[in-house]
Amino acid sequence: MPTTEKNILNRLYFIAGCMFLFVIAVAGKLIYIQIAEGSKYKKLAEERTIKNFVIPANRGNLYADDGSLLATSVTRYDIRFDAVAPKDNDFKEQLRGLSDSLSKMLGKPSSYYRNIFTKARVTKNRYLAITKNLSYTEYVRLKKFPLFNLGTYKGGLITEQRTVREHPLGDIAERSVGYERYNEKGEVISVGLEGAFSDYLKGKEGQQLKQKIAKGQWKPINDDNEIEPKDGYDVVSTININIQDITHHALMEQLQKYEADHGSVVVMEVKTGEIKAISNLGKAKDGNYYERLNYAVGESGEPGSTFKLMSLIAALEDKVIDTSYTVDTEKGEISFYGKKVRDSKKGGYGVISASEAFEVSSNVGIVKIIDEFYGENPKKFVDRLYNMGLNEQLGLSIKGEGKPYIPHPNDKKNWSGISLQWMAYGYGVSLTPLQILTFYNAVANDGEMVKPRLIKEVKEWDKPVMRFDREVLNPSICSQETLAKAKQLLRNVVEKKHGTGNDLNVQNFPIAGKTGTAQKDYASRDSDKLKYISSFVGYFPADNPKYSCIVVIHEPDKSKGYYGADVSGPVFKSIAQKIYITTPAVDVIEKLETRNIKTDKDYEQYYTRIQKEYRAVPNVKGMSGMDAVSLLENLGLKVSIKGGNGKVKKQSLEAGEKITPNKTIVLELS
């Protein structure tokens, strides 16, 4: 054999030998994978085709104090169809019945469903969308339809359930009710009551095993869940629907009237600290107002004149002055280190008492008192404020409480030569509306400061799981002697003719409180940038307080008004009047057989009148205010109340006048 041919043959043998070794290596690897790692890859394959999906638990219901629903979880069902699953006979025999049933339920023609099912069968569509957002009742009904009643594998029915949160009362108290959801980073965002009490509301998730049938499409393997979800507990809040509704609409009306940027109102029960209403409305780009942020809890700012109560209580408690102490307001302007303090009245108020300085809200008068007695020892004044708990957060269960700020002389970095004087009338300090209200509520509550509460109890169905009782933050903010004087000061603001809140005075229904008008952006030299915060805080009835309330409105249109008495005060008055009219005078009836002859007579008179079909304005003179309001509003009229809380003395629309829907009738009560 020639040398050349021999070399070629050797090369062929070598290549054949290498290929043989390669085949043996591949076969060995396959055997190794099959024996040694087969279970691993089998498991991996199953994981890619079979997977457990989380089933969110139904969140517990959130209730108002009377059992009305504020938020509830509702399960919704999306329905799809696996056109490959049914047998040919079942599909042909039951297609018409299924199509007819779906047509009756969903409204589209029966032919529409026959066509889409037939097409899906031809194209082997295993994930045909049928309908979305079915209620549980509708879902149960649909499961009984022809073909679908055979289940997942024989009938092709694919059910996807999800839970949605609904608010039966709409946008009323929406921000306070809140939510809990995930942001784009996967972080939990908790807001309002929903966020604060999520540990009780959220329940435990379940699991459902599904099999992959196509890219991005998964079908349940069984009709039953692998692990059933456990519903969350129900939470009963302190919110009162009637008071919340009154509060929401009173704030909304005033914000619109003054074209303000935003505002908040809180109504709290004096003895218990239960928050009965909390409304936060902010102006959106479209000009409408919505619950954007919880301003009442989270927005800390300079309180302005409402802080004067804290200043005078400190001075009264230290016995450096009495309410009769006189102070010269000079010409309504004084200066400290070149910084001026001015009164709203040009020329000042002359020589007045400390009580009058508070009633007319004289900045000069209050500042001069605090400067005279604490100028050499500001620490004494600030320590008194700290002792009353004004520098501490309330420790609310709801998230986002703003931090109070009251500078201390020991803090050299934040203390200046004018800190004391500016603090005296509410500048250079920072408090949230709820923190201010909590202090005023303590005055109404004989000095006992109670923690504001938004929750009463946690329940599982009707079984109590946890109760939240009244909590005392400070048993006594000051002496009873000082309290008595402070209460009289607050009454004088409304009852005295020269008081800044005199326009809020209601005969036979005493209100106690303080107006506040604080400047915003006052550091700017541009007067156009100067904005205001208008507020009113107090309690009612003044002689036996049941509710305390604060109204804070930011940046009203200055051309329309900005003083606290004009902007926020009317909201307070409206809320107080409506609560007073709609709240029963007697909370508990011990003997059901006891009859009130006067009440029976009023009711019979009201019942007789309401049975009539009115086409003209009725004569409501002599009727009780509550009955007259109910009767007239049911006739489509808007009712405005003046005077006390007794019977109707006068009505602005004459009896017999034709009823015009939404026309306002003014009632004067005795």
Side-chain angles (χ1 to χ4, degrees):
M1 181 180 295
T3 303
T4 303
E5 292 180 0
K6 186 176 182 180
N7 289 338
I8 292 173
L9 189 60
N10 288 337
R11 289 176 184 176
L12 289 174
Y13 286 149
F14 176 76
I15 293 172
C18 289
M19 291 181 66
F20 179 72
L21 292 174
F22 177 74
V23 170
I24 292 175
V26 171
K29 187 64 176 177
L30 289 173
I31 293 170
Y32 172 78
I33 292 173
Q34 183 69 23
I35 297 174
E37 297 188 0
S39 58
K40 173 184 173 182
Y41 287 102
K42 183 179 179 182
K43 182 179 180 182
L44 184 62
E46 287 178 349
E47 287 177 351
R48 292 182 177 179
T49 57
I50 299 175
K51 188 166 74 171
N52 258 318
F53 283 76
V54 170
I55 305 173
N58 283 337
R59 288 178 73 85
N61 294 330
L62 183 61
Y63 292 100
D65 64 349
D66 65 348
S68 301
L69 270 174
L70 294 175
T72 185
S73 288
V74 178
T75 302
R76 295 295 180 185
Y77 298 86
D78 298 341
I79 306 300
R80 293 181 178 272
F81 178 63
D82 179 359
V84 177
K87 294 179 180 179
D88 287 338
N89 288 340
D90 291 334
F91 182 80
K92 292 176 181 178
E93 290 176 2
Q94 302 193 46
L95 176 59
R96 178 176 290 277
L98 173 61
S99 299
D100 291 345
S101 298
L102 288 171
S103 176
K104 290 179 182 178
M105 181 178 185
L106 303 178
K108 292 182 179 180
S110 178
S111 59
Y112 166 81
Y113 293 104
R114 289 200 301 273
N115 289 335
I116 65 170
F117 283 133
T118 302
K119 183 178 179 181
R121 185 77 171 179
V122 172
T123 59
K124 297 184 178 180
N125 187 341
R126 305 198 65 184
Y127 206 58
L128 176 67
I130 304 300
T131 188
K132 291 185 176 182
N133 282 327
L134 292 185
S135 68
Y136 177 74
T137 304
E138 291 170 329
Y139 165 63
V140 171
R141 177 183 165 195
L142 181 138
K143 282 179 66 177
K144 297 177 181 178
F145 288 174
L147 194 61
F148 282 174
N149 58 11
L150 299 179
T152 301
Y153 279 93
K154 293 182 179 180
L157 175 64
I158 300 175
T159 304
E160 296 175 343
Q161 65 185 63
R162 53 194 170 82
T163 303
V164 297
R165 201 68 168 160
E166 293 188 351
H167 301 105
L169 297 179
D171 60 357
I172 294 179
E174 185 176 23
R175 188 71 188 184
S176 302
V177 170
Y179 56 81
E180 183 174 84
R181 61 182 65 142
Y182 291 92
N183 63 13
E184 62 277 2
K185 297 180 181 179
E187 301 167 332
V188 178
I189 304 299
S190 299
V191 173
L193 295 172
E194 289 270 20
F197 307 115
S198 183
D199 286 346
Y200 301 115
L201 291 164
K202 65 183 180 183
K204 293 183 179 180
E205 296 173 336
Q207 289 186 347
Q208 185 179 44
L209 200 61
K210 293 186 179 182
Q211 183 177 25
K212 191 173 185 179
I213 57 176
K215 186 176 180 180
Q217 300 176 6
W218 296 80
K219 174 180 174 181
I221 290 179
N222 300 308
D223 290 334
D224 297 326
N225 299 321
E226 294 293 306
I227 300 176
E228 291 295 334
K230 183 179 180 351
D231 292 348
Y233 293 128
D234 295 333
V235 171
V236 181
S237 76
T238 62
I239 298 294
N240 179 279
I241 295 301
N242 179 51
I243 298 177
Q244 181 68 44
D245 184 62
I246 290 170
T247 299
H248 175 86
H249 288 97
L251 177 61
M252 177 74 79
E253 182 179 348
Q254 202 72 343
L255 289 173
Q256 292 172 337
K257 178 179 179 180
Y258 284 91
E259 299 180 13
D261 181 74
H262 66 274
S264 60
V265 181
V266 182
V267 179
M268 186 158 65
E269 198 170 68
V270 170
K271 298 296 182 184
T272 66
E274 291 185 0
I275 293 176
K276 292 301 174 185
I278 179 168
S279 184
N280 300 279
L281 296 172
K283 195 174 187 178
K285 291 181 180 179
D286 62 3
N288 294 317
Y289 291 89
Y290 304 96
E291 291 225 2
R292 299 187 303 175
L293 299 171
N294 198 336
Y295 304 110
V297 171
E299 187 173 42
S300 188
E302 292 176 313
S305 293
T306 56
F307 197 80
K308 290 173 182 173
L309 177 67
M310 293 73 155
S311 296
L312 280 192
I313 285 181
L316 290 168
E317 188 69 0
D318 287 336
K319 299 188 183 301
V320 296
I321 64 161
D322 197 352
T323 53
S324 59
Y325 174 84
T326 57
V327 59
D328 186 0
T329 62
E330 301 180 23
K331 294 183 179 180
E333 181 178 298
I334 54 175
S335 295
F336 295 92
Y337 298 99
K339 300 291 185 180
K340 293 182 179 180
V341 177
R342 296 186 178 92
D343 279 336
S344 59
K345 180 183 178 182
K346 291 185 178 180
Y349 299 94
V351 178
I352 56 177
S353 68
S355 175
E356 290 172 321
F358 185 81
E359 293 155 15
V360 299
S361 201
S362 169
N363 297 331
V364 173
I366 299 298
V367 170
K368 284 191 70 173
I369 290 172
I370 299 305
D371 178 63
E372 181 175 350
F373 292 101
Y374 294 100
E376 297 298 322
N377 186 12
K379 183 177 181 298
K380 182 179 180 182
F381 177 73
V382 178
D383 284 346
R384 175 62 67 183
L385 298 179
Y386 278 26
N387 187 57
M388 292 189 289
L390 289 168
N391 63 316
E392 300 289 341
Q393 285 183 298
L394 301 172
L396 304 173
S397 51
I398 196 168
K399 296 180 180 180
E401 181 186 359
K403 291 184 179 180
Y405 172 70
I406 298 178
H408 197 281
N410 291 344
D411 182 5
K412 302 302 181 184
K413 184 179 179 181
N414 295 306
W415 188 265
S416 71
I418 60 171
S419 290
L420 175 69
Q421 294 77 17
W422 258 240
M423 185 187 303
Y425 72 122
Y427 288 91
V429 296
S430 184
L431 295 168
T432 67
L434 188 54
Q435 288 161 357
I436 297 170
L437 177 62
T438 301
F439 184 85
Y440 274 74
N441 190 81
V443 174
N445 196 31
D446 296 325
E448 186 180 60
M449 182 183 287
V450 291
K451 182 177 179 178
R453 285 192 297 134
L454 278 157
I455 182 173
K456 281 188 169 186
E457 66 175 337
V458 176
K459 300 193 304 181
E460 184 175 22
W461 298 102
D462 292 329
K463 179 183 176 183
V465 174
M466 184 178 297
R467 295 185 186 277
F468 293 81
D469 297 321
R470 181 174 175 273
E471 186 176 339
V472 177
L473 297 176
N474 189 337
S476 181
I477 60 170
C478 61
S479 66
Q480 291 299 310
E481 180 184 357
T482 298
L483 271 175
K485 295 173 182 177
K487 288 179 178 179
Q488 191 58 53
L489 288 173
L490 292 170
R491 290 192 69 157
N492 291 347
V493 168
V494 179
E495 294 178 0
K496 291 289 185 70
K497 287 185 178 181
H498 58 251
T500 55
N502 179 256
D503 288 342
L504 309 179
N505 192 23
V506 180
Q507 187 179 5
N508 299 325
F509 180 48
I511 290 173
K514 180 72 183 78
T515 57
T517 309
Q519 294 181 347
K520 292 179 70 174
D521 304 317
Y522 51 81
S524 173
R525 295 182 180 180
D526 187 351
S527 60
D528 291 336
K529 292 183 179 180
L530 185 63
K531 299 173 182 177
Y532 291 89
I533 306 171
S534 304
S535 57
F536 189 91
V537 56
Y539 49 85
F540 57 91
D543 47 7
N544 185 24
K546 184 169 183 180
Y547 298 106
S548 61
C549 176
I550 186 168
V551 182
V552 181
I553 294 179
H554 284 250
E555 302 176 23
D557 185 334
K558 290 183 291 186
S559 65
K560 296 185 176 183
Y562 55 85
Y563 286 110
D566 300 327
V567 180
S568 294
V571 179
F572 184 102
K573 180 179 179 180
S574 175
I575 292 170
Q577 281 187 305
K578 288 180 179 179
I579 291 176
Y580 187 68
I581 289 174
T582 58
T583 301
V586 179
D587 293 328
V588 179
I589 301 175
E590 295 182 354
K591 295 182 179 180
L592 293 177
E593 66 272 20
T594 300
R595 297 185 63 192
N596 186 315
I597 297 174
K598 181 178 179 300
T599 301
D600 287 349
K601 185 178 179 181
D602 286 344
Y603 176 76
E604 288 172 2
Q605 183 183 27
Y606 169 71
Y607 183 81
T608 300
R609 295 190 184 197
I610 205 169
Q611 300 307 306
K612 298 179 180 179
E613 183 179 354
Y614 286 102
R615 294 184 179 178
V617 176
N619 181 7
V620 295
K621 293 177 184 177
M623 291 183 67
S624 69
M626 187 186 302
D627 290 343
V629 169
S630 177
L631 173 61
L632 294 169
E633 286 185 342
N634 282 329
L635 295 175
L637 295 170
K638 291 185 177 179
V639 183
S640 177
I641 301 292
K642 286 186 177 180
N645 62 303
K647 294 188 175 183
V648 179
K649 293 195 303 182
K650 295 181 180 178
Q651 60 186 81
S652 62
L653 301 181
E654 292 295 328
E657 184 176 332
K658 184 179 178 180
I659 292 176
T660 303
N662 294 319
K663 191 171 184 179
T664 299
I665 180 171
V666 180
L667 302 182
E668 185 177 335
L669 306 185
S670 60

